[in-house]
Amino acid sequence: MGCARNEVDSEELAGRLAGSGWELVEPGDEDADVIVVNTCGFVEQAKKDSIDTLLAASDAARGSGAKVVAVGCMAERYGAELASSLPEADAVLGFDAYPDLAERLGDLLDGHVPTPHVPVDRRTLLPISPVQRPAASTDVAIPGHNWVPDISRRRLTSGPVASLKLASGCDRRCAFCAIPSFRGSFVSRAPEEVLAEARWLAQQGVRELVLVSENSTSYGKDLPGGTRALVDLLPKLGAVPGIERVRVSYLQPAEMRPDLLEVIATTPGLAPYFDLSFQHASATVLRRMRRFGSRTDFLDLCERIRALAPEAGIRSNVIVGFPGETEEDLAELEAFLTGARLDAVGVFGYSDEDGTEAEGYDGKLPAEEVTARVTRVSALVDELMAQRAEDRIGTEVTVLVETLADEENDCVGRAAHQAPEVDGECVFAEDELDGEPLRVGDLVRVVVVDTEGMDLVVSPREVVVPAPGGDREPAEMGV
């Protein structure tokens, strides 16, 4: 459940279980002994979805007698409270159970019900310093490289795109966010470990890497060399054989240094794509959120990005209805959105989160007013995103083919300015080129011929880099 970071966690858990003798079966398989639900605990809707999934898993397990186990952020955040209120879950395990999850599940099948996880504010736990981090394992060799990482991961999907975790945790103290309390302090992964996993993913047929963390611009601050580490790492990731596109997500606007901005915007192999967490544009609201910036600051950042890469994609999320937000504050946000011409924007209404500073703020807006503001800003955003898409008509973009056409669906893919699932997609007007069908994993140069909202309708012109295993010759010009 939840975000891309949780998806990576699921694949790591699957890898550890498979490596410990467990067999992974398809959902609904009546031979399953255990159903593990990796929950999300970010906002109320995510919690509800996680609980609904646990209940559905319990229903599915009723006939076979399989055990249902809750792990993930909601299990970590609520622990024993969740176990008490949801008896349908046979066990609730926190993050500390991950290294020996196989043994914990075995004990559960043997009739030993584990003690429910007792949550603790993980910000109070000291992060692991570089010198304390464990040395590399010798489990998985990477051809041509002496450094041998421990890659405990098993892909649960077969598409040409995969997320790659840069770090875990967050040291920021945004007033509306509870994530640091259950994800803990910020800890970067060693660059060699990130590169090794990128090479491993390339061997699995991955063409695009999406770098994820709670705050990617902080990468390296706890490593020798500091935050320069991300600037040094990104070109190396872009040069990994088989990886054609690297995308960085979860960037903090206040931490966007000129060198990082330039490397993302101009380095071959990196998508000129900026997933910037603006959250608002009123300086007053941002300060109450414990964040930095203003409409002027954010517009200047967008201008600097487009000066380096005019076709760069810029996306963000915003929160409306934050405690104390005035009509003037909302107008400031609308003015920013109109001026920034972002490619994609997620609009969220404020709601209290357990244990956050904002939960105790005064100036709370009525729920119906928050809903009205979400509707108002969403309508503006939809119009602006459609206009931004229309600006691309007649331009050439390079699209990674991800889904082929069938009786119900079109052939679709994504351009460099479009991240998976959240930023729209490219719909192919024709699903073949020179009489040959397009294939999943092809990188295709296309012309934008029309739009459907924020989606682009494209016509293929040339296969720039063919999918692995095919007999097409790559085009002379690179991506």
Side-chain angles (χ1 to χ4, degrees):
M1 313 295 294
C3 66
R5 299 183 296 278
N6 228 26
E7 292 175 6
V8 176
D9 287 352
S10 291
E11 294 194 346
E12 290 175 351
L13 290 176
R16 286 174 176 170
L17 290 170
S20 299
W22 288 80
E23 178 186 358
L24 301 178
V25 298
E26 293 298 319
D29 192 315
E30 294 183 356
D31 292 331
D33 297 301
V34 182
I35 302 173
V36 180
V37 179
N38 189 4
T39 61
C40 178
F42 182 37
V43 293
E44 285 304 316
Q45 185 58 52
K47 297 175 201 173
K48 181 181 182 302
D49 291 343
S50 293
I51 291 173
D52 288 345
T53 302
L54 285 164
L55 293 174
S58 178
D59 289 342
R62 191 168 295 138
S64 64
K67 302 295 185 181
V68 176
V69 176
V71 298
C73 290
M74 190 175 184
E76 171 66 35
R77 187 175 181 185
Y78 295 102
E81 179 185 347
L82 177 63
S84 175
S85 61
L86 196 71
E88 290 84 356
D90 297 289
V92 176
L93 303 176
F95 295 150
D96 291 337
Y98 284 12
D100 58 351
L101 183 61
E103 291 78 7
R104 299 287 189 98
L105 299 187
D107 289 343
L108 182 62
L109 290 184
D110 289 338
H112 304 292
V113 179
T115 301
H117 164 67
V118 178
V120 62
D121 187 338
R122 297 188 77 88
R123 291 171 295 187
T124 63
L125 306 178
L126 293 177
I128 303 173
S129 72
V131 293
Q132 293 172 319
R133 288 176 181 149
S137 164
T138 56
D139 290 341
V140 180
I142 300 296
H145 297 271
N146 294 327
W147 191 85
V148 185
D150 176 10
I151 300 175
S152 299
R153 181 172 178 178
R154 175 165 172 170
R155 293 202 71 203
L156 299 177
T157 59
S158 58
V161 182
S163 296
L164 176 57
K165 192 182 292 184
L166 282 174
S168 294
C170 184
D171 289 338
R172 299 183 72 90
R173 295 295 180 264
C174 301
F176 54 83
C177 182
I179 288 176
S181 67
F182 55 88
R183 276 289 185 178
S185 299
F186 187 89
V187 181
S188 302
R189 296 179 69 193
E192 296 88 351
E193 184 179 336
V194 176
L195 280 166
E197 188 165 341
R199 298 183 189 107
W200 179 81
L201 287 167
Q203 293 171 1
Q204 312 305 306
V206 171
R207 317 301 306 281
E208 176 177 325
L209 297 176
V210 182
L211 305 182
V212 299
S213 71
E214 278 74 21
N215 177 10
S216 296
T217 39
S218 285
Y219 178 79
K221 73 175 188 176
D222 53 339
L223 298 175
T227 52
R228 175 75 194 180
L230 184 58
V231 173
D232 295 336
L233 174 62
L234 289 176
K236 297 175 183 177
L237 287 169
V240 171
I243 299 298
E244 303 297 338
R245 181 186 290 163
V246 177
R247 184 183 308 277
V248 190
S249 59
Y250 305 107
L251 302 170
Q252 287 290 343
E255 298 178 13
M256 281 303 296
R257 305 172 308 280
D259 57 348
L260 179 58
L261 190 156
E262 183 171 1
V263 77
I264 294 175
T266 64
T267 303
L270 300 186
Y273 174 83
F274 295 83
D275 175 14
L276 295 163
S277 177
F278 290 124
Q279 302 299 351
H280 212 281
S282 162
T284 302
V285 172
L286 286 166
R287 298 307 173 271
R288 282 176 65 84
M289 290 178 167
R290 303 293 185 198
R291 296 178 67 84
F292 303 95
S294 66
R295 171 164 64 113
T296 301
D297 294 335
F298 294 162
L299 287 175
D300 175 69
L301 177 56
C302 293
E303 289 174 3
R304 286 188 285 131
I305 289 170
R306 290 187 172 126
L308 289 168
E311 299 304 316
I314 308 177
R315 88 166 315 273
S316 190
N317 294 318
V318 297
I319 299 173
V320 299
F322 192 77
E325 182 188 65
T326 65
E327 181 62 34
E328 290 74 18
D329 293 325
L330 193 63
E332 186 79 351
L333 174 60
E334 291 172 323
F336 163 69
L337 293 171
T338 301
R341 297 170 54 247
L342 305 180
D343 293 272
V345 183
V347 182
F348 298 89
Y350 171 81
S351 62
D352 284 338
E353 273 299 306
D354 299 337
T356 60
E357 181 182 352
E359 185 184 23
Y361 280 1
D362 57 11
K364 301 280 180 64
L365 300 177
E368 58 270 20
E369 176 60 22
V370 174
T371 299
R373 294 188 181 194
V374 169
T375 301
R376 168 177 159 182
V377 175
S378 295
L380 172 64
V381 161
D382 288 345
E383 180 181 353
L384 294 171
M385 291 191 300
Q387 291 174 2
R388 179 65 177 154
E390 290 170 359
D391 290 343
R392 297 185 184 273
I393 293 177
T395 65
E396 285 192 350
V397 296
T398 300
V399 176
L400 174 63
V401 180
E402 295 185 54
T403 305
L404 300 181
D406 57 28
E407 294 181 358
E408 299 180 354
N409 303 296
D410 295 310
C411 178
V412 299
R414 288 177 302 102
H417 71 279
Q418 297 169 317
E421 299 181 4
V422 293
D423 292 351
E425 58 191 13
C426 291
V427 180
F428 282 86
E430 310 94 28
D431 60 357
E432 60 178 37
L433 183 62
D434 298 329
E436 292 188 49
L438 299 176
R439 296 182 301 143
V440 171
D442 281 343
L443 275 159
V444 185
R445 182 177 293 109
V446 305
V447 174
V448 181
V449 296
D450 201 356
T451 63
E452 296 176 356
M454 65 186 300
D455 294 339
L456 306 181
V457 180
V458 300
S459 179
R461 290 293 183 268
E462 185 177 35
V463 175
V464 180
V465 182
D471 53 5
R472 269 204 185 102
E473 292 295 326
E476 292 184 4
M477 183 182 295
V479 178

